[in-house]
Structure formats: structure tokens, C-alpha cells
Amino acid sequence: MKRVAVFASGRGSNFEQLCLAQKNKKISAEIALLIASNSDIGAIDIAKSFAIPFRVFKSSDYDSLDEYRSQLLTCLKDNKIDFIALAGWLKLIHSSIVNAYKNRIINIHPALLPFFGGKGMYGAHVHQAVWESGMLVSGATVHIVDAEYDRGMIIRQQSVQLDFEDTPVSIARKVLQIEHKIYPEALQLLVEGKLNFQRRKGK
Ligand code: GRF
């Protein structure tokens, strides 16, 4: 069975959904490892509750960024990781990992890319920007990770209707429900090898 590492920096609700999907046999791969960016994040409690091994990787624990990146890659190789799912991971994934896992890393973004994405567009900032735009639709996007923030090929996307009464907080709540639905679906598409990487924008 293919092995998936999930990278998380926060509460880990998407990570939890991936674990549940595996438990319910909706994903034909093993969630084999959590990479956590800090030792005090909620995702670690979730890993423990599903008995999933975890490792904490903090760049400040290493002498240099190169050392941090190479140890992280070594950890993925040692754990025989085939795919990576970013679930609220805040750092840009370095090209050494993107290249080693080309077309095998996915991310979930809480808006309809290519809008409301890019550097600085994470968490509450995204929902605030959607709210300020006045748009009455938002949604979630799963995309392949390349060396730029939020720019890789879109592999799954679903919208949600917004109302005049919505606030950034209620938008976040609506979008999170969509995230929890489409992230396991997208991971299954990836691990089944059903994605057509020849598809180009505009085609
Ligand atoms: C989600 O909104 C996800 O789209 C974004 O970061 C958030 C992580 O939430 N990339 P959680 O830790 O999965 O609950």
C-alpha cells in the first residue's frame, strides 16, 4: 500500500478527515506519518488518537536551512513516503522536496483558486479578503504543489454559496465543511493515479 505523509502546522481538522477516510476505506493508501511544524499543535493529538507516528520539524532546531531541508527529505525517504498532503502547512515547500516528489504533493486552500491565493493568503486572511470583495461564492481547492504558493494544477474544487449575513468567520465555517469533503476525494484521485498531468491551463 502507498504511504502518505501529512504536513500540518495547526489544529489538524483536515488531517483528521484524511485519517477517518483511511479508516473508512475511502482512501486506498496509508496515512503513515505526520510532519508537524511545532510540538504544541492540535494535529499531534490527532496523530496520537489514530496511532499515527509523528515527527516535529522546526527549522530553528537546525544549524542551517539546508540541513533542515535535507533532514526532512531523509525522514520522508526513511519512512518510505510515496505522497505528501499539506494540511494547513504554512511554509513554502522547498524545491528539493518538490523535485523529489514531483506531482505527488497536494495542498488544500480555503478559497477558489486562482483567486484569493499566494503569499500571505492563508487562514483568516483569505476569508477576510473574500468577504471584503463582496463575492457571494467561495469554496475550497485542492492543487498539486510546485515551487510557488498556490499555483500548481487544480485537481479538485467545490464552491459554496455565501449570504449577505455571512462574516469572515461564518465563511470560514462553510468553507471548512467543503474542505473536509473534497480533501479525501482528491487524495484518493492522486493515490489511484487517476490524474492527467498532461492537462494544461485553458484546455
Ligand atoms: C485549512 O483551512 C486549509 O485550507 C488551510 O489551512 C487550514 C488548516 O486547517 N491550508 P486544519 O488545521 O486542517 O483544521
Side-chain angles (χ1 to χ4, degrees), residues 8 10-15 87-89 107-110 123 127 176 179-180:
R11 72 192 154 183
S13 72
N14 279 287
F15 169 50
W89 179 260
N107 180 46
I108 180 131
H109 183 77
H127 306 298
L176 193 63
E179 293 184 43
H180 290 169

Side-chain angles (χ1 to χ4, degrees), residues 61-79:
D61 290 345
Y62 296 84
D63 290 340
S64 69
L65 272 180
D66 277 351
E67 182 61 14
Y68 160 74
R69 287 162 182 158
S70 103
Q71 290 294 325
L72 179 51
L73 193 52
T74 301
C75 171
L76 296 172
K77 300 275 179 203
D78 287 351
N79 282 279

Side-chain angles (χ1 to χ4, degrees), residues 141-174:
T141 304
V142 182
H143 63 93
I144 295 289
V145 171
D146 60 19
E148 267 184 281
Y149 278 110
D150 302 331
R151 295 299 301 187
M153 188 177 101
I154 292 170
I155 61 173
R156 196 109 182 146
Q157 197 160 41
Q158 189 171 320
S159 62
V160 64
Q161 186 67 48
L162 305 181
D163 304 313
F164 291 126
E165 293 74 27
D166 272 315
T167 62
V169 170
S170 68
I171 295 172
R173 206 178 305 122
K174 284 183 174 180

